[in-house]
Amino acid sequence: MEKQERIILVTNDDGITAPGIRALIEAVRPLGKVVVVAPDSPQSGKGHAITIGVPLRLNQVDIFEDIEAWQCSGTPVDCVKLARDKILHRKPDICVSGINHGANHSINVIYSGTMSAAMEAAIEGIPSVGFSFLEYSYDADFSLPAKVAREVTERMLRSDLPAGTLFNVNIPVVEEKDFRGLRLCRQADAKWVEEFDERRDPHGKKYYWLTGQFKNRDTGEDTDVWALENNYASMVPVQFDLTNYRLKQQLEADWKDL
Amino acid sequence: MEKQERIILVTNDDGITAPGIRALIEAVRPLGKVVVVAPDSPQSGKGHAITIGVPLRLNQVDIFEDIEAWQCSGTPVDCVKLARDKILHRKPDICVSGINHGANHSINVIYSGTMSAAMEAAIEGIPSVGFSFLEYSYDADFSLPAKVAREVTERMLRSDLPAGTLFNVNIPVVEEKDFRGLRLCRQADAKWVEEFDERRDPHGKKYYWLTGQFKNRDTGEDTDVWALENNYASMVPVQFDLTNYRLKQQLEADWKDL
């Protein structure tokens, strides 16, 4: 009985038709009742955006065998909010997001719709996890990431985790025989160096495409980037209290005249 | 000489025509050379979204006296990236964002385009701060928030702050005689409880407006919400390393079988 009643909310940011979400659904299907609420279009890089200025559409779709699924016109965060309020009418037991087509390690956690959806659920007190595979292509082989997603989800469901627990899991592109397993990490201190690609439209007016190069300036061996470069799947516990307590303490001493 | 060369990047999320950004420009104008790069339309709630799927437009505008100003078709984060790469060609000395029409305390830091713009600059190693006024209306009196913005910006410019320093400053709606000054705070543990407003379009199909109620579940007197309720302007040092180190340490002990 208990197993039937366990609800697993599945979402993503690549959109409901992406192969990555299908792989995730199949991975977690044996663990409970799966309900999918995902964007109806690609929402990569949407971060923690919510939709305020326009209303949202939400439509049930039948594209996964025996799985209740809804597509939403909004962002990944909107999907989680709508799932909670209008579809599930209660907290799911866990929220899993992904499997993202492409990396979301290090600073990418901040830009990622995949991770923002999971974070939104965590803010609601739902144990949550985002999965990302370091292979962008649409026809990537999701068998290793799916195994990792299943293992992490099972582990989270059987563990007694604090409210608001959230993980950022990235999976390397590696042969299964060379895969070294999961590794708890911290977020690497890395960033993107932007180089906008400037072009001119047919009317002679300039426009810009965002492009950039990823730069890891962190040499630590406890980071997610290091783990992925060494054939581990990285698992970073993530928080949404953004207070910089160390700086706060320092300034309480330095800025007594405040 | 030094003062002439100091560059202050100003941005916001309410759009370049919002009264709040005009108040901020006037507040910081005496402190250096101001360059404005802001969205050409309201971008509230855009969080840390970036624009990937469509190109960006960037046009110089002449709406502030003797101030170089550009409007961008993208998100607040896009504005900061474009400013750095295509307009300034170097790091500004500080990035100030706002003054936002409405609160961005507690969990709102995650949804706020104002704060995400400032965070993007902080990721670049630029000292940054977002200002938000707890009054939504378009014709709010920005004299107190402008004074606070000036004071904080001056203080940041004369302090030797660590790279990536970022503040979330909120200003209460209060008579100046009752205002108690700036207070260093932590982010309150608060959240939004969503209640989507379900409607039907003229064709009978459902749509949803995001609405919600703000719930503060944090009774601490060291939070931003407490400070604002007690006539202080709140000042939260914010970080973009989202690693939950406490949980990481706990799981390193609990999950030895990982």
Side-chain angles (χ1 to χ4, degrees):
Chain A
M1 270 308 282
E2 197 210 327
K3 193 173 153 190
Q4 271 68 38
E5 287 171 340
R6 184 191 277 161
I7 294 181
I8 300 171
L9 175 63
V10 178
T11 190
N12 77 344
D13 78 350
D14 290 315
I16 200 163
T17 60
I21 198 170
R22 185 171 288 269
L24 183 54
I25 291 164
E26 294 310 319
V28 301
R29 185 198 279 265
L31 307 178
K33 179 181 189 302
V34 171
V35 177
V36 181
V37 186
D40 62 12
S41 66
Q43 298 283 316
S44 295
K46 282 294 166 77
H48 215 94
I50 50 174
T51 303
I52 298 170
V54 294
L56 295 167
R57 298 288 187 166
L58 181 67
N59 290 299
Q60 198 161 3
V61 292
D62 183 18
I63 58 173
F64 307 111
E65 199 180 348
D66 299 326
I67 298 281
E68 179 181 341
W70 299 77
Q71 67 181 16
C72 166
S73 59
T75 65
V77 171
D78 292 330
C79 290
V80 171
K81 287 181 182 288
L82 270 167
R84 173 88 171 77
D85 189 41
K86 288 294 169 193
I87 298 170
L88 301 175
H89 304 292
R90 75 156 173 97
K91 283 188 193 177
D93 296 274
I94 193 166
C95 173
V96 295
S97 181
I99 299 170
N100 192 64
H101 294 246
N104 278 319
H105 55 63
S106 64
I107 195 67
N108 298 291
V109 65
I110 287 174
Y111 303 96
S112 161
T114 302
M115 281 308 301
S116 293
M119 183 177 282
E120 181 63 27
I123 292 168
E124 284 288 329
I126 302 159
S128 301
V129 52
F131 298 103
S132 303
F133 185 32
L134 269 66
E135 161 73 60
Y136 271 99
S137 89
Y138 201 75
D139 53 359
D141 176 3
F142 275 94
S143 50
L144 176 62
K147 272 185 200 167
V148 171
R150 165 80 167 271
E151 184 190 333
V152 169
T153 307
E154 268 189 312
R155 180 178 283 272
M156 289 178 71
L157 286 168
R158 73 169 182 261
S159 302
D160 187 23
L161 295 167
T165 291
L166 169 63
F167 293 106
N168 182 16
V169 174
N170 281 261
I171 298 105
V173 182
V174 61
E175 297 280 333
E176 275 202 56
K177 66 177 173 50
D178 299 322
F179 179 57
R180 295 169 75 185
L182 279 160
R183 192 177 163 98
L184 281 166
C185 305
R186 66 174 171 86
Q187 174 185 324
D189 179 20
K191 63 168 190 159
W192 288 88
V193 177
E194 271 72 38
E195 290 159 24
F196 284 90
D197 186 352
E198 183 177 311
R199 301 187 181 190
R200 284 187 188 269
D201 70 18
H203 314 289
K205 293 192 74 175
K206 284 183 192 166
Y207 64 96
Y208 302 89
W209 286 103
L210 175 58
T211 67
Q213 283 202 314
F214 180 72
K215 300 274 184 197
N216 182 23
R217 52 192 172 186
D218 194 327
T219 55
E221 298 195 353
D222 55 348
T223 71
D224 48 3
V225 172
W226 186 93
L228 291 159
E229 286 171 348
N230 286 274
N231 292 355
Y232 291 97
S234 62
M235 186 170 190
V236 178
V238 173
Q239 64 187 351
F240 46 85
D241 177 357
L242 307 192
T243 311
N244 185 336
Y245 287 97
R246 198 163 49 180
L247 182 57
K248 178 170 179 283
Q249 197 172 14
Q250 184 193 316
L251 295 178
E252 277 161 356
D254 292 355
W255 284 2
K256 289 214 185 300
D257 61 320
L258 197 67
Chain B
M1 270 308 280
E2 196 210 329
K3 192 174 153 188
Q4 271 67 37
E5 288 171 340
R6 183 190 279 162
I7 293 181
I8 301 171
L9 174 63
V10 178
T11 189
N12 77 344
D13 78 350
D14 290 315
I16 200 164
T17 59
I21 198 171
R22 184 171 289 269
L24 182 54
I25 291 164
E26 293 311 319
V28 301
R29 184 197 280 265
L31 307 177
K33 178 181 188 305
V34 170
V35 178
V36 180
V37 186
D40 62 13
S41 66
Q43 299 282 316
S44 294
K46 283 293 167 78
H48 216 94
I50 50 175
T51 302
I52 298 171
V54 295
L56 294 168
R57 297 288 187 167
L58 181 66
N59 290 297
Q60 197 160 5
V61 292
D62 183 18
I63 58 174
F64 307 110
E65 199 180 348
D66 298 326
I67 297 281
E68 179 182 341
W70 299 77
Q71 66 181 17
C72 166
S73 58
T75 65
V77 171
D78 293 328
C79 290
V80 172
K81 287 181 182 288
L82 271 167
R84 173 88 172 78
D85 189 43
K86 289 292 169 193
I87 298 170
L88 301 176
H89 305 292
R90 76 155 174 97
K91 282 187 193 180
D93 296 274
I94 193 166
C95 172
V96 296
S97 180
I99 300 171
N100 192 64
H101 294 246
N104 279 319
H105 54 62
S106 65
I107 195 67
N108 298 290
V109 66
I110 287 175
Y111 303 95
S112 160
T114 302
M115 280 308 301
S116 293
M119 182 177 283
E120 180 63 27
I123 292 169
E124 285 287 329
I126 301 158
S128 301
V129 51
F131 299 103
S132 303
F133 186 31
L134 270 65
E135 162 72 62
Y136 272 98
S137 89
Y138 202 76
D139 55 357
D141 175 3
F142 275 94
S143 50
L144 176 62
K147 273 186 199 167
V148 171
R150 165 80 168 272
E151 183 190 334
V152 169
T153 307
E154 269 188 312
R155 180 178 284 272
M156 289 178 71
L157 287 168
R158 74 169 182 261
S159 302
D160 186 24
L161 295 167
T165 291
L166 168 62
F167 293 106
N168 182 15
V169 174
N170 281 262
I171 299 105
V173 182
V174 61
E175 297 281 330
E176 276 201 56
K177 65 177 175 48
D178 299 322
F179 179 57
R180 296 168 76 183
L182 279 159
R183 192 177 163 99
L184 281 166
C185 305
R186 66 174 172 86
Q187 174 184 323
D189 179 20
K191 63 169 192 159
W192 289 89
V193 177
E194 272 72 39
E195 290 159 23
F196 283 90
D197 186 350
E198 183 178 311
R199 301 187 181 189
R200 284 188 188 268
D201 69 20
H203 314 289
K205 294 191 73 174
K206 284 181 192 169
Y207 64 95
Y208 302 89
W209 287 103
L210 176 58
T211 67
Q213 283 202 314
F214 180 73
K215 300 276 182 194
N216 182 23
R217 51 193 171 186
D218 194 328
T219 55
E221 299 195 354
D222 54 349
T223 71
D224 48 5
V225 172
W226 186 92
L228 291 159
E229 285 171 349
N230 286 274
N231 292 355
Y232 290 98
S234 62
M235 187 171 191
V236 178
V238 173
Q239 64 185 352
F240 46 83
D241 177 357
L242 307 192
T243 311
N244 185 336
Y245 287 97
R246 197 163 50 179
L247 182 57
K248 178 170 179 281
Q249 197 171 14
Q250 184 194 316
L251 294 178
E252 277 161 355
D254 292 355
W255 285 1
K256 290 214 186 299
D257 62 319
L258 197 66

